[in-house]
Amino acid sequence: MPDPRARRGVRYPFVQLLQIIVHAVLAGANTLTTIAEWAQHTATAEATRPQAGRVPSLATIHRTLARIDAVALDDAVNGWVRERAREHIGTDRLVVAVD
């Protein structure tokens, strides 16, 4: 995924922003506000905590999603899930954990 942001003013690594957004959506967040709220509530978790415990604001999440290539993000997430599923073909696993 290419980072669509200009270098000036970037405070969060792009991959971490995407992780927060994708994790929130997978956890049931379906609006920008609920994504931001999810990020605030999970700020203590190591995997979702960018830069020293700081959490991206609603405005940062909005700007990121407004600039991102939605098709590329969908392809990246679906490709990741497909790869995880392929790893378990022929096993007794019925689900792929994404948390």
Side-chain angles (χ1 to χ4, degrees), residues 1-59:
M1 285 280 329
D3 186 344
R5 303 171 300 167
R7 289 187 186 269
R8 183 172 174 245
V10 170
R11 292 192 176 112
Y12 301 98
F14 186 58
V15 171
Q16 288 181 332
L17 272 173
L18 289 180
Q19 283 178 322
I20 289 169
I21 292 164
V22 170
H23 289 166
V25 171
L26 290 173
N30 58 6
T31 67
L32 295 174
T33 301
T34 55
I35 291 170
E37 289 171 354
W38 184 90
Q40 286 291 331
H41 290 328
T42 61
T44 57
E46 189 69 32
T48 58
R49 182 178 48 228
Q51 296 187 346
R54 293 176 54 209
V55 178
S57 68
L58 173 61

